[in-house]
């Protein structure tokens, strides 16, 4: 039987980063025909598309140094231009800190709710917040919750925020204080807020330039494409593909956590039940080519909370990096709502109507094509059973030298930078174990 110290399942950013930072003998098994995972880039008629928005938000000096080394002088820095479109007007992102411009009744609801929430926080600063709905009402008040955060996130997840905990929020939900909310309502914005105020992106080739550069630093013989891990024996320490079995000392899996457990022939019933309880919304989106040169008034992405739109976010990568579309053309990625499932033709008509409403296009024929795409795994749903089930499965895995990491391997919500850091960290843990 073939044997390696480290077997890595998946050649996305986490798997490639693990291999780059490993010191021992490793092999990568990737079921697709090329590396990259969800950071692959698709070409359609001269347009380059990612799997929706894939922007590099770098905070860690080590990851920044690695990216600069991999793509020297090839990254461009973009200052975020994001907006919310609701009630027929545009406001700045994040909604809760930029209420200026909303219709009077909506603005009143949001401000009154925010003030009442601030008073409640002063009286009870540490309430028992069971759900994400509790969390947003506590921090922002009823108006902001009901006019934006509840409807937007319901469209994204396909479930109500009262089914979801706040465990995922971390750095992803900016929390302005009441003074900042009032300033934003008066048009005195507090400046860019949130983890994604600026981002990096390759000047050419789309986001797949990054995993390709990572793979170029590895031995080609150690990356086996078109090779899917079919079964895993956690107690005996082997993985089986169509090509045969490979023994491992350490298994690094970036497969979605439920899929890893499903492949594990010796997983006990309680672990299978825990994995089966983990929920995730699909990632459903459209890659769109337009005849116009600069859509969405130059924005990089728009948030759309209203139920009348069968999509919750519309972005334009070509607004950030024009080389992603042919000259005189532009691209959109349109993320489809998970609380409604309209037929494709109806969605395209709704998109064209929206683009005309905001002045991006004049006629439906300005939409050159609309290519629908879907991935089974989009956003992890942090419901009440998620944390205990996730921890039980990960604990079972670690007891058998199986490191389930990355966005779906760890069953979490994170960024591309986090994916790269996960690879760095797991490689370091394996090195420490070997000493």
């Amino acid at each position: 039987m073939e044997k390696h110290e480290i077997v890595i399942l998946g050649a996305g950013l986490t798997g490639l980063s693990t291999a780059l930072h490993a010191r021992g003998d490793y092999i990568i098994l990737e079921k697709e025909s090329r590396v990259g995972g969800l950071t692959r880039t698709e070409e359609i008629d001269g347009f380059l598309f990612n799997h929706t928005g894939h922007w590099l938000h770098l905070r860690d000096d080590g990851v920044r140094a690695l990216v600069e080394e991999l793509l020297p002088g090839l990254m461009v820095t973009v200052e975020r231009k994001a907006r919310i479109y609701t009630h027929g007007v545009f406001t700045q992102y994040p909604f809760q800190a930029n209420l200026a411009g909303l219709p009077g009744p909506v603005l009143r609801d949001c401000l009154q709710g925010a003030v009442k929430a601030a008073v409640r926080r002063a009286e009870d600063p540490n309430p028992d917040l069971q759900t994400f709905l509790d969390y947003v009402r506590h921090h922002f008040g009823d108006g902001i919750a009901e006019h934006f955060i509840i409807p937007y996130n319901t469209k994204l997840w396909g479930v109500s925020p009262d089914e979801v905990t706040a465990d995922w929020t971390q750095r992803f939900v900016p929390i302005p204080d009441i003074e900042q909310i009032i300033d934003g309502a008066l048009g005195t914005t507090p400046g860019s807020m949130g983890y994604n105020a600026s981002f990096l992106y390759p000047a050419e080739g789309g986001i797949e330039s990054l995993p390709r550069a990572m793979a170029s630093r590895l031995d080609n013989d150690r990356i086996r494409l078109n090779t899917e891990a079919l079964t895993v024996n956690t107690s005996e320490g082997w993985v089986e593909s169509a090509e045969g079995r490979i023994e491992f000392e350490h298994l690094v899996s970036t497969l979605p956590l439920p899929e890893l457990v499903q492949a594990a022939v010796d997983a006990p019933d309680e672990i299978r039940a825990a994995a089966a309880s983990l929920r995730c919304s699909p990632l459903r989106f459209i890659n769109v080519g337009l005849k116009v040169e600069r859509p969405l008034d130059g924005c990089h992405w728009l948030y759309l909370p209203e139920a009348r739109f069968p999509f919750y976010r519309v972005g334009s990568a070509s607004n950030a990096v024009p080389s992603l579309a042919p000259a005189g053309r532009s691209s959109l990625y349109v993320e489809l709502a998970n609380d409604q499932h309209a037929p494709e033709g109806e969605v395209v008509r709704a998109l064209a109507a929206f683009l005309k409403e905001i002045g991006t296009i004049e006629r439906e024929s300005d939409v050159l094509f609309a290519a629908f795409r879907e991935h089974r795994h989009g956003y992890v749903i942090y419901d009440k059973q998620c944390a205990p089930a996730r921890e039980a499965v990960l604990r079972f895995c670690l007891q058998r030298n199986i490191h389930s990491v990355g966005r779906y391997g760890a069953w979490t919500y994170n960024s591309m930078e986090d994916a790269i850091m996960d690879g760095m960290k797991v490689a370091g843990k394996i090195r420490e174990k070997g000493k």
Side-chain angles (χ1 to χ4, degrees), residues 114-241:
V115 170
K116 290 176 182 177
V119 172
R120 288 197 300 269
R121 289 196 301 275
E123 296 172 347
D124 184 9
N126 297 300
D128 182 20
L129 304 176
Q130 293 289 319
T131 69
F132 182 58
L133 183 59
D134 296 337
Y135 178 90
V136 297
R137 292 192 189 282
H138 172 73
H139 286 290
F140 309 124
D142 292 345
I144 290 172
E146 291 170 7
H147 284 291
F148 178 71
I149 297 179
I150 293 172
Y152 176 79
N153 285 287
T154 299
K155 291 171 78 174
L156 183 150
W157 290 316
V159 302
S160 171
D162 63 6
E163 290 186 45
V164 179
T165 72
D167 292 345
W168 63 278
T169 54
Q170 304 167 30
R171 65 184 185 276
F172 298 110
V173 179
I175 303 179
D177 58 30
I178 188 60
E179 289 84 2
Q180 291 173 314
I181 291 175
I182 292 171
D183 285 346
L186 295 173
T188 309
T189 59
S192 296
M193 298 183 70
Y195 74 101
N196 57 2
S198 66
F199 53 86
L200 297 177
Y201 195 85
E204 301 286 343
I207 197 61
E208 192 171 331
S209 298
L210 179 58
R212 284 180 178 174
M214 296 171 78
S216 71
R217 300 295 183 92
L218 303 174
D219 185 344
N220 280 340
D221 292 337
R222 293 180 179 269
I223 305 176
R224 295 186 185 171
L225 302 176
N226 301 303
T227 305
E228 181 178 5
L230 302 174
T231 55
V232 177
N233 190 303
T234 67
S235 55
E236 296 181 9
W238 51 258
V239 173
E240 187 169 50
S241 71

Side-chain angles (χ1 to χ4, degrees), residues 5-6 17-26 222 427-428 430-431:
E5 179 187 355
I6 306 170
S17 177
T18 303
L20 277 174
H21 297 93
R23 296 291 182 266
D25 170 40
Y26 69 86
R222 293 180 179 269
I430 292 172
R431 288 198 304 272

Side-chain angles (χ1 to χ4, degrees), residues 12-15 17 36-41 50-60 63-64 66-67 75 171-172 195 199-202 206-211 214 406-407 413-424:
L13 293 183
T14 302
S17 177
L38 284 182
T39 53
R40 287 177 297 165
T41 299
N50 302 318
H51 299 305
T52 70
H54 271 76
W55 313 112
L56 273 171
H57 313 292
L58 301 184
R59 312 174 320 281
D60 182 81
V63 177
R64 183 176 292 274
L66 174 63
V67 171
M75 302 296 290
R171 65 184 185 276
F172 298 110
Y195 74 101
F199 53 86
L200 297 177
Y201 195 85
I207 197 61
E208 192 171 331
S209 298
L210 179 58
M214 296 171 78
R407 180 166 184 161
Y413 177 42
N414 63 14
S415 66
M416 287 190 289
E417 179 185 55
D418 295 318
I420 294 170
M421 290 177 67
D422 282 352
M424 293 176 168

Side-chain angles (χ1 to χ4, degrees), residues 22 24 33-34 39 114 169 187 251 254 259 298 304 316 364 366 373 376 389 391 418:
S33 60
R34 67 184 199 264
T39 53
T169 54
L251 180 69
T254 68
E259 292 185 7
L304 300 153
S316 176
E364 290 188 12
D366 288 334
R373 301 287 182 264
R376 181 179 177 185
E391 293 308 312
D418 295 318

